[in-house]
Amino acid sequence: MILTLKTGVTEKEINEIKNKVKELGYSPEISKGLDKTLVLVKGERAIISRDIFESFEIVESITPISEPYKLVSRKWKKKSIINVGGVKIGSGNIVFMAGPCSVESLENTMEIAETVKAAGATILRGGAFKPRTSPYSFQGLGEEGLKYLRKAADKTGLKVITEAMNIEQLKLVVQYADIVQLGARNMQNFELLKACGYVDKPILLKRGFSNTIKEFLMSAEYIASKGNTDIILCERGIRTFSDYVRFTLDISALPVLKKLTHLPIVVDPSHPAGNRDYVEPLALAAAAAGADGLIIEVHPNPQKASSDGAQTVYPDQFKEIVRKANAIRELLK
Ligand code: PEP
Ligand code: MN
């Protein structure tokens, strides 16, 4: 539940409330606005202590949060803007993240970084650790790949997003990346989620392809509960009976999530498409539905890409997506 304190409360009074929350076995979170101070009382059964807090003179009102997620709830905060070294995600504009599915070589990463930057991207994507269905498929370049990404991004002035699949990799990834990507297959890897809660880099959390919106938000809550609230949600398609695309992009997740959470929402149109012909329409639908960013697989020669070539767009196609997506947003302003 959220306690809204009366205007003009003192530090001493805030501390008294905080101590009472702790004494009752819950954990407090404070948010100081221009006018009001809010206290979030975290604990599944916190609401049973409502009467105790009502008796505090400085408590103006009490708002129960019935949802199991609290810190990521829109009841707690209206909107979050995640600042990635000057690139603001959630500010109303679309942030473009682009690059290959897998990092391949330094030359090729440099070339892609320059190309996507020229087309309008501000964040370079690429996997150095790859979650592949087959153990015989390319598994990624590991730390070498992270170095290539960092070098290419620094040269071009881009930021880096790349995936960590386990806690060991996370320790390495945070040394090179500006945003840590948690893949769809790890959305409910609770130990990894908790570990991400302790890092000081934003986390892009991809929705598991068989997970509900509630489960998605609970995973974000896992990260937030350990202290890191710089979380970006990513809708990347779910499993349905459709056999024409790789996954079904859940466009409805955008308006639904916007209602439920203050976290920014990025859409990955590449993985649901599974075919580069469908990437643009899905990206534009996401732009129209209010996505805060698009993360797209781009390669100068997709046929030669080490992974996901079929859904990887050519640089010219990416440029068109950026132009049209921005135009759609202008139109909707
Ligand atoms: C990727 O971004 O290349 C990837 C593997 O994504 P996902 O976890 O959504 O499948
Ligand atoms: Mn991929």
Side-chain angles (χ1 to χ4, degrees):
M1 70 187 145
I2 298 167
L3 315 176
T4 303
L5 306 186
K6 287 184 181 155
T7 313
V9 283
T10 63
E11 273 310 309
K12 189 167 164 275
E13 288 169 318
I14 295 173
N15 276 331
E16 270 169 30
I17 287 268
K18 262 171 90 175
N19 290 338
K20 190 71 201 170
V21 173
K22 285 186 197 156
E23 194 186 297
L24 291 165
Y26 312 120
S27 45
E29 203 75 44
I30 308 291
S31 166
K32 284 187 186 152
L34 282 179
D35 184 28
K36 301 274 182 211
T37 298
L38 306 180
V39 182
L40 176 64
V41 184
K42 287 182 284 176
E44 226 162 284
R45 292 160 55 78
I47 198 68
I48 58 171
S49 306
R50 182 181 184 135
D51 289 356
I52 298 172
F53 293 106
E54 261 166 0
S55 68
F56 273 76
E57 186 57 34
I58 59 159
V59 174
E60 186 176 86
S61 62
I62 295 181
T63 316
I65 303 187
S66 45
E67 296 86 6
Y69 46 87
K70 321 277 181 203
L71 286 164
V72 305
S73 168
R74 223 169 154 261
K75 283 190 183 147
W76 172 235
K77 198 174 168 189
K78 286 291 160 261
K79 191 153 183 47
S80 277
I81 297 175
I82 314 288
N83 191 341
V84 187
V87 176
K88 295 196 175 78
I89 305 175
S91 67
N93 297 323
I94 305 173
V95 170
F96 293 91
M97 312 180 182
C101 178
S102 302
V103 179
E104 293 161 357
S105 69
L106 179 60
E107 297 67 39
N108 157 292
T109 310
M110 286 282 187
E111 182 190 339
I112 297 176
E114 271 157 20
T115 314
V116 299
K117 159 113 191 203
T122 46
I123 299 177
L124 177 64
R125 66 143 288 151
F129 299 105
K130 295 305 303 177
R132 305 305 303 279
T133 303
S134 165
Y136 308 116
S137 300
F138 179 60
Q139 303 286 308
L141 294 180
E143 189 170 7
E144 208 49 32
L146 298 176
K147 288 182 182 163
Y148 298 165
L149 280 170
R150 188 71 266 160
K151 217 169 186 174
D154 287 345
K155 175 137 189 280
T156 46
L158 294 169
K159 303 293 165 201
V160 168
I161 177 166
T162 193
E163 178 168 359
M165 296 192 293
N166 59 44
I167 295 174
E168 274 306 294
Q169 292 171 7
L170 177 66
K171 289 179 194 154
L172 213 50
V173 164
V174 292
Q175 294 173 35
Y176 297 94
D178 300 294
I179 305 175
V180 178
Q181 177 174 321
L182 283 197
R185 290 154 191 84
N186 265 319
M187 193 205 85
Q188 286 189 314
N189 180 338
F190 300 116
E191 292 306 311
L192 185 56
L193 294 172
K194 283 190 258 180
C196 284
Y198 293 110
V199 308
D200 66 351
K201 294 277 162 80
I203 309 292
L204 179 129
L205 177 67
K206 288 192 143 193
R207 178 180 179 186
F209 42 75
S210 296
N211 287 109
T212 63
I213 295 285
K214 198 179 196 176
E215 288 164 343
F216 193 16
L217 291 172
M218 287 314 292
S219 290
E221 186 79 13
Y222 254 97
I223 301 171
S225 71
K226 299 297 171 200
N228 187 1
T229 50
D230 280 350
I231 305 162
I232 303 151
L233 301 174
C234 178
E235 164 59 40
R236 47 79 70 212
I238 52 173
R239 281 254 153 93
T240 66
F241 52 82
S242 166
D243 56 358
Y244 279 84
V245 284
R246 196 171 169 193
F247 297 94
T248 299
L249 179 65
D250 184 8
I251 278 289
S252 60
L254 281 157
V256 171
L257 285 167
K258 292 218 169 259
K259 205 181 242 183
L260 300 178
T261 179
H262 54 85
L263 299 175
I265 305 139
V266 161
V267 168
D268 171 349
S270 305
H271 289 84
N275 174 327
R276 78 180 65 86
D277 295 345
Y278 307 140
V279 174
E280 180 180 304
L282 296 185
L284 300 186
D292 295 298
L294 288 167
I295 179 163
I296 300 180
E297 290 181 336
V298 183
H299 194 289
N301 194 350
Q303 277 85 0
K304 292 235 170 87
S306 301
S307 54
D308 285 349
Q311 69 199 28
T312 298
V313 296
Y314 289 92
D316 281 352
Q317 288 180 297
F318 176 64
K319 208 169 155 188
E320 271 304 279
I321 293 172
V322 174
R323 186 182 69 75
K324 290 181 185 168
N326 282 333
I328 286 174
R329 282 300 259 275
E330 272 312 305
L331 193 71
L332 297 179
K333 266 181 189 164

